[in-house]
Amino acid sequence: KLPYVPDDPFKTREDAQTFLDANLCAEDDCAAPPVLQFEFTTTACNTTDNPNIELCAFTYRVFDGRCAISEEGEFDSSFTFNVEVYITSPIPTTDLVALRGLGCDGIDNDLDCLIDECDEDLVPPTLKLPYVPDDPFKSEADAIAFLRENLCAEDDCAANLLIIVPPLPNINITCIPTLNPDIQNCTFPARVTDTRCRDEDAGRFTAVYRFVLEVVNAAAISLVPLRGLGCDGIDNDYDCLVDECDEDLVPPTLKLPYVPDDPFKTREDAQTFLDANLCAEDDCAAPPVLQFEFTTTACNTTDNPNIELCAFTYRVFDGRCAISEEGEFDSSFTFNVEVYITSPIPTTDLVALRGLGCDGIDNDLDCLIDECDEDLVPPTLKLPYVPDDPFKSEADAIAFLRENLCAEDDCAANLLIIVPPLPNINITCIPTLNPDIQNCTFPARVTDTRCRDEDAGRFTAVYRFVLEVVNAAAISLVPLRGLGCDGIDNDNDCVIDECDEDVVPPSAKLPYVPDDPFKTYDDALTFLEQNLCLEDDCSDFLDLAIVGLSDNTSCTTCLFEVTVTDLRCAEFDNGMVTNGAVTQSERTFSLEVARPMDVVFLRGYGCDGIDNNFDCLIDDCDEDQVPPTAKLPYVPDDPFKNTSLAMAFLEDTICLEDDCTPAEDLTVNIDDLVPDSCIEIVPFPPTLECTFNVTIRDNRCNVTVFESFILEVVENAPIVPDPVKFQGCDGVDNDFDCVVDECDEDQVPPTISLDKCCIPEKPFSSIEEAQQFLMDHVEVTDDCAFEFTNLTVSDPSPCTHCVFEVTVFDNRCIDNATFPAQPMGSANFTLDVLEAIPGINITCGFFTPQDDLYDKHYGHKKCPPYPEDGEILVINNYDYNELVDVEFWYQIDVPDTTDPEKPTDPSKLDVCVSVFSNELELDGTTMAPTMAALIKTQESPSSVQRARVLLSPNSCHDEFALPFFDDASKGKGSKKDSKKGSNKDSSKDSSKDSSKDSSNGFDGSKRAKTSKKDGSKFSFQSVPEYEYSCDSGICLKDKNKKIKTRFYNIQIVVTDEACNEFVQTCSVAVATGGSYYGDYYHDRQLHELPDSYEFFSYGNSYGYKPKNLLAAEYEQAKITNCVAELCTEWDPSLDTTIHEPHYPCNNNFGGYIFYDNDPETGAAVANETNVDPVVDEETP
């Protein structure tokens, strides 16, 4: 095999053959080098379409040195390889095509003592793009960034290559439409330059390549559906949602990783397989949101009457998104599988298929699964491989079978393999074409040990294997390298790998041959002596002898005979080897030697430190065969402004070289411009090519040489080209001031950019916030500088779509007075600024009166609203209602601004009312919260929308700890309960808090009097705390187990157009049996309440907590469960008046009569306030 063929033709046929000798790879399944060898046989060449190139066919023979070469070609083969070769004669060198690597070959081809320099570089550099993405680029900027990161530059001579991507001078990016109106094909130019030689010849050292990439049309409204184009972690449609259904452009897909080779038994089995193995994929969604379901199936007959082909159709859908008619979020796929036709074909007609009976099913209904009766296919025997070499004996072959035979069965695992000898089955051998080898047939038997005695035909099988065995009568072995030197005493003489076992002679190889001819015959001989490699598989004692077969004075292709002798085993007679067949080898090598008389004057040939003309002077002027030269290291890309600058450039830049004379003895003189030598090459700007003469003098040898250089000069007024990035910062002193890439050469100011992906979707709330965002996120780059300062952002006037100017300075050039523009870069960015509506105020409250058992003094408050000053509203379940309307109200005050510089749009206010609780009560069937309901209300079309709030007055602690009065005289209440209520120590210790309780409206001393007078005392009944299930529902208590009160937070969130949020919250507490009423004993123990703690009698006897304890519990409660939510719109242009419900402004609230205590007797008396009291409007 030949791993590769160079792209360029070879210089000579000898070079081609040398390349093939060095790179051909010989392969064999049995042999390897050095036993496996190849050799050149013939060559034939034919002309091609290129008159300078011919196509040569080189034929090689490869052979296995271990084995005899047979006529059938068993151990040797011939292969032909076609390669291109230059026709070096009679085509002159000037007509050769410039080929990559032809000049850059490590040789001084132009005899100027410089190797692989610019003069020898014949091929310009190349640009390659390793790959192009499948999806189009979103913009030209993205495509240019891709090119900048992925373009690869290559050159056969240079390593420092400069790649410049668009924009390029005078070369624009062009785009043409495609069949898809949203996508266009854009051609992007890119330039690669060999920085060593870029100014010498633009056509040879600078190349422009064009790359066509797909770009999304900027004017396109509908984006092409591309997988992942919308699901990219970006809010593409600016709706404050990332990768939602609106951005999902590609429907999901369904794939089947594989289909079993055997048909399915039933259609149900096939569908079960599909259900288990189908894979749903989508660029936005993933399981469990991404789902698929079976829809239909249809079956058709096949060529096999027992098998039908069934098409199963499945639908895959994205559960997040609605199913549209266009199939955006759902797709249908059909999968074809083969299924057995179980009816009306009888079972006996079915073909016995492996695994048909052993399928984990009781097919014969005998309560046994996969037993012998269901096993339809006998076991099998397989031999993984057969060695290429024959076995030495039948015993070796049998041992090989015993170790390598593999038994397989679809039902059984315990299989028995029996190799020869077998009863009544003999080993048979027949001769082959090779008299030393015979083909022997070896029988082997495999048995299913579970069933072997039931049916020999089904559970026992005999297989025969044919193997090659060496004939026992064969005497002659083929000599193979390493066959005797294998660490084994092959001839049984108690000596290992001695000369008797060495059957292959040594060899000699030459790793490579130089491309250039040797200067002398002796040089060629020395090369052979130093580079020949001697090899032998057994011996290290090798002797080398080289004899020349050609005339050592005139040969150009000189032949050398090489003899290698194994001194360990060689037998000599009168100096001659007598057993050379196995101890000695001979080989002839051909080397090229240059003709002695054909010497060309080469640079350095005379200046070589030798007295070549025997005048006792070394390297004098007589021996100097080559005159001095002048070279320009580079030529600027841009033309010179005038001829004076061009001449100054020549004087400063020109380089003088000579192989003999030192530089200090060489002088150069720039002559005047050659008259009439300027030729116009570009009309605008008017650019001329002018010829300048240069005189070079070798003062040591009094030799004068004339050279000419052509430079581009701008005619008349200088034309300043548009600044191009990297034009001045290119590592070259463009203005010839001995400073490279300084401020004077910096043509392009710093660039300021902002990644659009960083701009938030939400408008900025202030000018200052937008300015700070730009300061933090803009990126500053420059082709010359790396440090920048004075980054500033302008302060625009109040606006919504604000234009900010960002400026930055190059630290190197900030004080440069000559070029004040280059160090400063600027860019404009437009950002949306929507300042929050100032002064939006939200108030909320309730028209429901405060629970009278919680605070009796609310009976003295004549008119609503209730409660006051943000106090928590306490409600109670008097009538055991499911939901109670708490008569919640809220008001949103929007200021009326007339400032034209800061416009507001109060008509767009989104209002969301949410109810949160520290408990969670769920419906047992739907598992949905059942604690609250929100209803959108609108009194008239001219009124704003509001939310009506209904709350459950129950708690997870209801009906489990209700206190009651126990009349001691009647003996009510248990002894245990009485003991609970009469803790004297706690009564004593808690007396200090009586004043504090009185301040909250609870007069403990008065209540104590009344209780003692009536002769009554308290007792409690209690039930342990736990989460209960009521009506098949679930009620989860507060995570803080000490909190036994249900709280509600009603939260109003107002959002303006700029996404600014304003929040207000009003709270409700539920006073039920487990919290306020029925926890008297618990509170008295924990909070040291006095025995004289006051109670109000209404229906049953209730206890309550003071306000300060309610507030403390509210602060500790985990009010995090959202149980209801309703969103509406608030339009301030509509009627926003709150219509308060009418309540009588007296002490009668809902038919309840409140009591005050008589200051003299302490007895409770009715309050006699009039229903319609006279209001004194002058009294505050």
Side-chain angles (χ1 to χ4, degrees):
K1 293 183 178 179
L2 185 61
Y4 74 100
V5 176
D7 296 332
D8 298 328
F10 294 96
K11 294 182 180 179
T12 63
R13 298 181 186 179
E14 290 74 13
D15 289 349
Q17 184 177 342
T18 301
F19 171 79
L20 293 174
D21 291 342
N23 290 281
L24 283 175
C25 299
E27 295 181 357
D28 190 67
D29 57 337
C30 296
V35 173
L36 192 61
Q37 303 176 18
F38 61 88
E39 62 184 6
F40 167 73
T41 55
T42 60
T43 182
C45 298
N46 296 312
T47 59
T48 63
D49 296 336
N50 190 330
N52 299 328
I53 296 176
E54 61 183 353
L55 186 65
C56 294
F58 291 82
T59 302
Y60 280 76
R61 169 178 159 267
V62 59
F63 56 93
D64 183 350
R66 304 173 309 151
C67 309
I69 301 174
S70 65
E71 297 180 0
E72 293 78 12
E74 292 176 87
F75 308 112
D76 67 328
S77 306
S78 292
F79 295 88
T80 300
F81 304 93
N82 295 318
V83 294
E84 292 182 342
V85 180
Y86 280 116
I87 302 175
T88 56
S89 176
I91 304 300
T93 306
T94 54
D95 294 338
L96 288 178
V97 182
L99 296 174
R100 183 171 300 283
L102 186 63
C104 297
D105 51 4
I107 301 174
D108 183 11
N109 293 279
D110 53 3
L111 313 178
D112 59 357
C113 294
L114 298 176
I115 297 176
D116 297 344
E117 78 280 12
C118 296
D119 293 344
E120 298 181 14
D121 192 353
L122 304 179
V123 182
T126 59
L127 271 183
K128 293 183 179 180
L129 195 58
Y131 74 99
V132 177
D134 296 331
D135 296 332
F137 294 94
K138 294 184 180 179
S139 64
E140 292 183 0
D142 291 348
I144 293 173
F146 172 79
L147 291 175
R148 182 178 293 110
E149 294 178 1
N150 292 280
L151 279 177
C152 300
E154 295 180 356
D155 190 71
D156 56 331
C157 295
N160 296 324
L161 301 174
L162 176 65
I163 303 174
I164 301 177
V165 297
L168 298 183
N170 303 324
I171 305 178
N172 298 324
I173 300 171
T174 59
C175 297
I176 59 175
T178 64
L179 294 177
N180 188 332
D182 296 334
I183 296 179
Q184 51 188 348
N185 283 339
C186 295
T187 302
F188 295 85
R191 185 172 67 192
V192 57
T193 302
D194 181 354
T195 55
R196 305 174 311 144
C197 320
R198 57 182 163 186
D199 300 321
E200 295 195 8
D201 188 342
R204 279 171 55 197
F205 308 112
T206 296
V208 176
Y209 293 84
R210 290 168 174 81
F211 300 92
V212 179
L213 301 176
E214 291 185 345
V215 180
V216 176
N217 190 353
I221 299 175
S222 60
L223 289 178
V224 182
L226 297 176
R227 184 169 297 280
L229 186 63
C231 298
D232 50 7
I234 301 173
D235 181 11
N236 293 280
D237 53 3
Y238 310 107
D239 59 356
C240 297
L241 299 175
V242 177
D243 296 344
E244 80 281 12
C245 295
D246 294 342
E247 299 180 15
D248 191 353
L249 305 178
V250 182
T253 59
L254 203 57
K255 293 183 178 179
L256 186 62
Y258 73 100
V259 177
D261 295 332
D262 296 331
F264 294 95
K265 294 185 179 179
T266 63
R267 297 181 185 178
E268 290 74 14
D269 290 348
Q271 183 177 343
T272 301
F273 170 80
L274 293 174
D275 291 342
N277 290 280
L278 283 175
C279 299
E281 295 180 358
D282 189 70
D283 56 333
C284 295
V289 174
L290 192 62
Q291 303 176 18
F292 62 88
E293 61 184 7
F294 168 74
T295 56
T296 60
T297 182
C299 297
N300 296 313
T301 58
T302 63
D303 294 337
N304 189 331
N306 297 329
I307 296 176
E308 61 183 355
L309 185 65
C310 295
F312 291 83
T313 302
Y314 280 77
R315 170 179 158 266
V316 58
F317 56 93
D318 183 351
R320 305 173 311 148
C321 311
I323 301 174
S324 66
E325 296 180 0
E326 294 77 12
E328 290 177 272
F329 311 113
D330 67 327
S331 307
S332 292
F333 295 87
T334 300
F335 302 93
N336 296 318
V337 295
E338 292 183 341
V339 180
Y340 281 116
I341 302 175
T342 55
S343 177
I345 305 298
T347 306
T348 54
D349 294 338
L350 288 177
V351 182
L353 296 175
R354 181 171 299 282
L356 187 63
C358 297
D359 52 3
I361 301 173
D362 182 11
N363 293 282
D364 52 4
L365 310 177
D366 59 356
C367 297
L368 297 175
I369 297 176
D370 297 344
E371 78 281 10
C372 295
D373 293 343
E374 297 181 13
D375 191 354
L376 305 178
V377 183
T380 58
L381 270 182
K382 292 183 180 180
L383 193 59
Y385 73 100
V386 176
D388 294 330
D389 294 332
F391 294 96
K392 294 183 179 180
S393 64
E394 292 182 1
D396 290 347
I398 293 173
F400 173 79
L401 291 175
R402 181 178 292 110
E403 294 178 2
N404 292 281
L405 280 176
C406 300
E408 296 179 356
D409 190 70
D410 57 333
C411 296
N414 297 323
L415 302 174
L416 177 63
I417 302 175
I418 302 177
V419 296
L422 297 182
N424 303 322
I425 305 177
N426 298 323
I427 300 172
T428 58
C429 296
I430 59 174
T432 64
L433 296 176
N434 188 334
D436 296 335
I437 296 176
Q438 51 187 347
N439 284 338
C440 296
T441 302
F442 295 86
R445 185 172 65 193
V446 59
T447 301
D448 182 354
T449 55
R450 305 176 310 146
C451 319
R452 58 183 164 185
D453 299 326
E454 296 191 16
D455 187 344
R458 280 171 57 195
F459 308 111
T460 297
V462 176
Y463 294 85
R464 291 169 174 80
F465 300 93
V466 179
L467 302 176
E468 290 184 347
V469 180
V470 176
N471 190 348
I475 299 174
S476 61
L477 290 175
V478 181
L480 298 176
R481 181 175 296 282
L483 185 63
C485 298
D486 53 5
I488 301 174
D489 182 12
N490 292 281
D491 52 4
N492 303 318
D493 59 358
C494 297
V495 182
I496 297 175
D497 297 344
E498 78 280 13
C499 293
D500 293 343
E501 299 181 13
D502 190 354
V503 295
V504 181
S507 63
K509 291 184 178 180
L510 193 60
Y512 73 100
V513 177
D515 294 332
D516 296 331
F518 294 95
K519 292 183 179 180
T520 63
Y521 180 89
D522 292 337
D523 289 347
L525 182 60
T526 302
F527 173 79
L528 282 177
E529 292 174 347
Q530 294 178 351
N531 291 280
L532 277 173
C533 298
L534 309 182
E535 296 179 355
D536 189 71
D537 58 335
C538 294
S539 176
D540 293 328
F541 301 95
L542 303 177
D543 177 66
L544 172 65
I546 303 176
V547 178
L549 303 180
S550 304
D551 185 357
N552 60 357
T553 60
S554 61
C555 67
T556 56
T557 301
C558 302
L559 301 178
F560 299 87
E561 183 182 66
V562 175
T563 303
V564 183
T565 304
D566 181 359
L567 299 179
R568 188 185 67 135
C569 304
E571 298 176 1
F572 294 90
D573 184 10
N574 294 326
M576 301 297 292
V577 178
T578 59
N579 60 341
V582 294
T583 62
Q584 198 173 58
S585 66
E586 296 179 354
R587 185 175 178 184
T588 301
F589 294 91
S590 173
L591 299 178
E592 292 185 356
V593 178
R595 295 180 182 178
M597 299 304 294
D598 296 344
V599 177
V600 183
F601 284 135
L602 299 176
R603 182 176 296 280
Y605 185 68
C607 298
D608 51 7
I610 301 174
D611 182 10
N612 293 279
N613 53 3
F614 311 105
D615 59 358
C616 297
L617 297 175
I618 297 175
D619 297 344
D620 56 341
C621 293
D622 294 339
E623 296 181 14
D624 190 354
Q625 306 293 333
V626 182
T629 58
K631 291 186 177 181
L632 276 178
Y634 71 97
V635 176
D637 294 333
D638 297 329
F640 293 96
K641 296 181 180 180
N642 51 58
T643 57
S644 300
L645 289 177
M647 295 176 66
F649 168 77
L650 288 174
E651 187 174 355
D652 293 340
T653 310
I654 204 166
C655 299
L656 303 181
E657 296 180 355
D658 189 73
D659 56 334
C660 295
T661 304
E664 56 268 19
D665 291 331
L666 300 174
T667 58
V668 62
N669 183 45
I670 310 299
D671 300 336
D672 292 335
L673 182 67
V674 178
D676 301 326
S677 67
C678 294
I679 302 173
E680 184 178 81
I681 58 173
V682 178
F684 184 83
T687 305
L688 308 176
E689 275 191 351
C690 299
T691 302
F692 297 86
N693 287 339
V694 175
T695 302
I696 309 153
R697 184 171 180 80
D698 181 352
N699 297 321
R700 186 182 70 116
C701 301
N702 197 22
V703 175
T704 301
V705 180
F706 300 97
E707 294 279 357
S708 297
F709 295 94
I710 298 177
L711 299 178
E712 293 182 2
V713 179
V714 177
E715 185 179 13
N716 299 326
I719 303 298
V720 179
D722 293 335
V724 177
K725 192 176 288 292
F726 297 110
Q727 188 176 46
C729 298
D730 50 6
V732 180
D733 181 13
N734 293 279
D735 52 4
F736 315 115
D737 59 357
C738 297
V739 182
V740 178
D741 296 345
E742 78 280 12
C743 294
D744 295 347
E745 299 181 15
D746 191 352
Q747 305 294 326
V748 182
T751 301
I752 304 173
S753 60
L754 177 64
D755 188 354
K756 294 182 179 179
C757 298
C758 298
I759 301 177
E761 303 162 6
K762 174 182 174 182
F764 294 97
S765 60
S766 65
I767 297 290
E768 293 75 13
E769 182 183 358
Q771 289 175 321
Q772 188 60 44
F773 170 81
L774 290 174
M775 293 287 290
D776 295 339
H777 291 84
V778 294
E779 182 179 358
V780 182
T781 57
D782 190 71
D783 56 334
C784 296
F786 299 97
E787 295 182 1
F788 310 96
T789 188
N790 293 346
L791 179 67
T792 58
V793 181
S794 64
D795 188 5
S797 58
C799 50
T800 53
H801 300 288
C802 304
V803 178
F804 296 86
E805 182 182 13
V806 182
T807 58
V808 70
F809 285 89
D810 179 352
N811 286 352
R812 305 172 312 131
C813 311
I814 191 170
D815 297 327
N816 193 319
T818 307
F819 296 90
Q822 277 80 347
M824 186 184 75
S826 65
N828 293 333
F829 301 99
T830 302
L831 300 178
D832 292 337
V833 178
L834 288 177
E835 297 189 10
I837 301 176
I840 286 185
N841 185 42
I842 308 173
T843 55
C844 63
F846 306 91
F847 290 121
T848 300
Q850 185 67 283
D851 183 17
D852 54 290
L853 296 183
Y854 173 71
D855 189 347
K856 70 174 186 175
H857 292 282
Y858 261 95
H860 300 286
K861 180 170 173 49
K862 300 301 184 290
C863 296
Y866 306 100
E868 292 181 308
D869 302 327
E871 183 180 347
I872 299 174
L873 171 67
V874 179
I875 62 175
N876 193 359
N877 188 359
Y878 296 116
D879 300 321
Y880 300 100
N881 294 327
E882 290 296 328
L883 294 176
V884 173
D885 187 352
V886 295
E887 299 185 65
F888 174 71
W889 61 268
Y890 61 88
Q891 181 68 22
I892 303 172
D893 297 321
V894 181
D896 182 16
T897 174
T898 58
D899 186 358
E901 300 297 335
K902 295 184 178 181
T904 59
D905 188 2
S907 63
K908 295 182 179 180
L909 293 179
D910 294 326
V911 180
C912 283
V913 180
S914 305
V915 179
F916 295 85
S917 178
N918 61 325
E919 296 183 350
L920 183 59
E921 190 171 347
L922 302 174
D923 179 79
T925 303
T926 63
M927 299 305 291
T930 58
M931 304 164 56
L934 297 176
I935 303 173
K936 183 186 295 185
T937 62
Q938 190 171 17
E939 295 186 2
S940 67
S942 62
S943 301
V944 294
Q945 297 176 351
R946 297 184 183 272
R948 182 180 179 186
V949 181
L950 292 84
L951 302 177
S952 170
N954 302 313
S955 170
C956 295
H957 296 268
D958 277 357
E959 303 176 0
F960 294 122
L962 298 178
F964 57 87
F965 284 103
D966 181 14
D967 191 330
S969 63
K970 296 181 180 180
K972 293 182 180 179
S974 66
K975 183 178 181 181
K976 181 177 180 180
D977 294 334
S978 299
K979 189 178 292 186
K980 261 187 192 179
S982 59
N983 191 325
K984 296 181 179 180
D985 294 337
S986 62
S987 172
K988 180 179 180 181
D989 295 340
S990 61
S991 61
K992 60 185 179 181
D993 291 332
S994 60
S995 61
K996 178 180 178 181
D997 296 335
S998 299
S999 65
N1000 287 329
F1002 306 112
D1003 193 345
S1005 60
K1006 294 180 181 179
R1007 184 32 130 184
K1009 283 184 180 180
T1010 304
S1011 299
K1012 184 177 291 186
K1013 180 179 180 180
D1014 295 341
S1016 61
K1017 59 183 178 180
F1018 296 100
S1019 65
F1020 293 80
Q1021 61 181 6
S1022 61
V1023 176
E1025 298 178 354
Y1026 62 90
E1027 298 177 2
Y1028 70 91
S1029 174
C1030 180
D1031 296 333
S1032 299
I1034 297 175
C1035 197
L1036 304 178
K1037 301 176 182 178
D1038 194 305
K1039 295 180 180 179
N1040 186 348
K1041 298 302 181 182
K1042 295 182 181 180
I1043 305 300
K1044 299 184 178 181
T1045 305
R1046 175 180 291 183
F1047 292 100
Y1048 292 102
N1049 273 349
I1050 306 175
Q1051 185 182 77
I1052 307 100
V1053 179
V1054 178
T1055 307
D1056 63 11
E1057 188 182 13
C1059 297
N1060 299 301
E1061 292 186 351
F1062 306 86
V1063 182
Q1064 184 60 274
T1065 301
C1066 284
S1067 304
V1068 177
V1070 178
T1072 61
S1075 55
Y1076 293 96
Y1077 310 103
D1079 212 4
Y1080 169 74
Y1081 175 75
H1082 174 72
D1083 285 340
R1084 189 176 65 177
Q1085 292 292 328
L1086 294 184
H1087 306 294
E1088 299 181 353
L1089 301 180
D1091 286 337
S1092 59
Y1093 207 76
E1094 183 176 8
F1095 287 80
F1096 290 98
S1097 174
Y1098 175 70
N1100 296 324
S1101 298
Y1102 291 95
Y1104 52 86
K1105 294 180 182 178
K1107 295 181 181 180
N1108 58 340
L1109 295 183
L1110 177 65
E1113 281 196 353
Y1114 175 80
E1115 292 298 330
Q1116 299 178 21
K1118 310 296 183 182
I1119 310 176
T1120 59
N1121 302 314
C1122 183
V1123 297
E1125 184 177 30
L1126 176 66
C1127 292
T1128 63
E1129 184 179 84
W1130 183 275
D1131 187 355
S1133 64
L1134 300 178
D1135 182 12
T1136 61
T1137 304
I1138 300 177
H1139 299 282
E1140 303 179 4
H1142 176 71
Y1143 287 99
C1145 294
N1146 57 14
N1147 285 353
N1148 296 323
F1149 288 87
Y1152 306 149
I1153 299 177
F1154 296 90
Y1155 293 86
D1156 284 336
N1157 291 330
D1158 188 287
E1160 298 296 332
T1161 64
V1165 296
N1167 191 313
E1168 299 178 355
T1169 304
N1170 293 329
V1171 174
D1172 295 319
V1174 178
V1175 179
D1176 184 2
E1177 295 183 354
E1178 296 181 358
T1179 302

